[in-house]
Amino acid sequence: MPKIAQELTVLQVKNLKNPGLHAVGGVPGLLIKIGNESASGGKPSRSWIYRGRVDDRRIQLGLGSYSSVSLADARQMAREQKTLIDKGLNPVEVRTEQKRALVKARDKAKTFKDCAEMYLEHRLKSLSNEKHKQQWRTTLKTYVYPMIGDRPVADISIHEIKNLLEQQTQKRNGAKGSFWELKTETASRVQGRIYDVFAFAITKEFRATANPAEWRGRLSTLLPPAAKIKEVKHHDALPYSKASYFLATLLKRDSITRAALAFLLVTGVRSGSVRQAEWDEFDFDENVWTIPPAHEKTGNEHRVPLSTGALAILRSLKRIAGCDLVFPSPSGKVLTDGAISKTMRQMRERGEIDYKGVPHGCRATFRTWAADKTSYSDEIRKAASGHSFGDAVKMAYQR
């Protein structure tokens, strides 16, 4: 047991000057630790220390700083530590367990929004498409946070997720109804995003029970499958029989957006790849366009053989000094998808074309033409469109 020291008064403790440990009495093992005077002449640090023995092992516990804990409070805290030892407990282990319990309680109190924002910090870094990043945040803010954003992530039930997916919503045409049935595609994406946030929360041990947003075996027993109720709406596609006329009409006017749309049509690639295309991606000796992974939705490099028509479009363009983009906007930045869509819409409004179609539909034009007019296998046609496939198909395509 520590020696019983003389019980010092508040003034006596205040007047202690020598660096080191000093017993202050009142409770065996209570000490004040005085540090050395700092080089700048500042006052030495002072803090309370409790020392005791547990199973013949000496323990030492900090009780706080002299400035924030009074002598009376320090003695009371020391008595509490001594009481624990008398009961056969180790105060150090008790404090460690208390801290652990506090962390668990804090983690359990984390809300769904807390977890979602933490998850988004690294999830959005894996998305290259700014539109998809914005959709993540917008859908959570619109459909999820108002209903479960402030709820502890550990307590949210599957029935709350079901109610969220069945919340009342309204379409632009004024129609009202269940979110799951009225905006099925969006609701299905929201369900997947909620699932990812819960999976993150479970991994971080903010939640101990099963994922309430899991579809198979859980939500699937409470909601109809999205594939059964959603209205499939494909992008309007240009009939390939009119492709040559459309191309000729496009190129009658000198315009970067028209040139980009024409290039999209003759290559069959995605709009983003065309809009972000840079001159150093093109090999004019081999007549091949190598789209880097950063410009491809799949994240894979995609090689596109350049036809005579594609080469003619490229050669008609003027390179702009200080700009690497092949199809830059007037400000020298990447063209927006809306700018190309607007070009096609204006052509209909002017009467230049009399059929519907959107830029992304040009890929369907290419695929339909390839299926009807060529003998290549479906795998090769898909690979030519930039879809991901296994190694065997890639090898076949690269022959």
Side-chain angles (χ1 to χ4, degrees), residues 140-214:
L140 290 178
K141 184 177 179 180
T142 304
Y143 301 109
V144 183
Y145 291 165
M147 299 195 71
I148 63 170
D150 294 332
R151 294 272 292 124
V153 74
D155 299 338
I156 298 172
S157 69
I158 187 173
H159 295 290
E160 289 179 89
I161 304 303
K162 175 180 179 291
N163 291 339
L164 184 156
L165 294 173
E166 290 188 319
Q167 64 183 284
Q168 289 295 297
T169 189
Q170 184 173 339
K171 297 190 78 171
R172 290 181 180 177
N173 62 9
K176 295 181 180 180
S178 158
F179 180 38
W180 187 252
E181 296 189 352
L182 204 63
K183 298 181 179 180
T184 308
E185 185 173 351
T186 301
S188 182
R189 289 176 180 171
V190 167
Q191 176 264 323
R193 289 164 186 167
I194 296 173
Y195 174 88
D196 287 348
V197 173
F198 275 112
F200 169 79
I202 292 169
T203 301
K204 298 290 286 186
E205 298 184 357
F206 300 149
R207 179 185 175 92
T209 53
N211 193 321
E214 185 169 359

Side-chain angles (χ1 to χ4, degrees), residues 13 37 40 67 79 89 109 141 147 149 165 172 186-187 192 276 278 281 301 303 306 360 371 380 395:
V13 172
E37 188 172 319
S40 61
S67 61
R79 289 188 192 97
L89 300 173
K141 184 177 179 180
M147 299 195 71
L165 294 173
R172 290 181 180 177
T186 301
Q276 298 177 86
E278 297 182 356
E281 297 171 14
E301 182 182 278
R303 288 166 55 85
L306 296 172
H360 192 75
I380 299 300
M395 289 174 65

Side-chain angles (χ1 to χ4, degrees), residues 48-159:
W48 301 108
I49 301 292
Y50 174 75
R51 277 183 172 178
R53 282 190 175 276
V54 179
D55 298 330
D56 293 328
R57 276 192 305 125
R58 174 176 281 185
I59 64 164
Q60 181 170 299
L61 210 63
L63 302 179
S65 68
Y66 174 78
S67 61
S68 60
V69 178
S70 68
L71 174 58
D73 288 342
R75 283 178 172 145
Q76 178 57 34
M77 293 167 71
R79 289 188 192 97
E80 292 170 359
Q81 309 314 312
K82 184 177 181 302
T83 299
L84 290 173
I85 292 175
D86 292 343
K87 291 180 179 180
L89 300 173
N90 185 330
V92 176
E93 293 176 356
V94 170
R95 179 176 287 188
T96 300
E97 186 56 36
Q98 288 173 339
K99 288 182 178 178
R100 189 178 293 119
L102 185 63
V103 170
K104 283 185 177 180
R106 192 182 299 124
D107 287 345
K108 187 176 181 182
K110 284 195 181 298
T111 65
F112 179 88
K113 185 176 181 180
D114 291 335
C115 295
E117 293 300 318
M118 290 172 65
Y119 175 68
L120 285 176
E121 283 185 20
H122 73 85
R123 177 68 178 91
L124 297 187
K125 291 177 183 177
S126 67
L127 298 177
S128 58
N129 189 307
E130 290 299 323
K131 182 179 178 181
H132 292 166
K133 290 182 181 181
Q134 186 59 39
Q135 285 175 342
W136 256 90
R137 291 200 177 279
T138 300
T139 53
L140 290 178
K141 184 177 179 180
T142 304
Y143 301 109
V144 183
Y145 291 165
M147 299 195 71
I148 63 170
D150 294 332
R151 294 272 292 124
V153 74
D155 299 338
I156 298 172
S157 69
I158 187 173
H159 295 290

Side-chain angles (χ1 to χ4, degrees), residues 24 39 154 176 204 258 274 311 335 349 356:
V24 298
K176 295 181 180 180
K204 298 290 286 186
R258 284 187 172 230
V274 171
L311 289 168
L335 277 174
E349 292 170 353
K356 290 184 177 181

Side-chain angles (χ1 to χ4, degrees), residues 35-49:
N36 294 313
E37 188 172 319
S38 65
S40 61
K43 291 183 178 181
S45 62
R46 289 173 167 241
S47 59
W48 301 108
I49 301 292

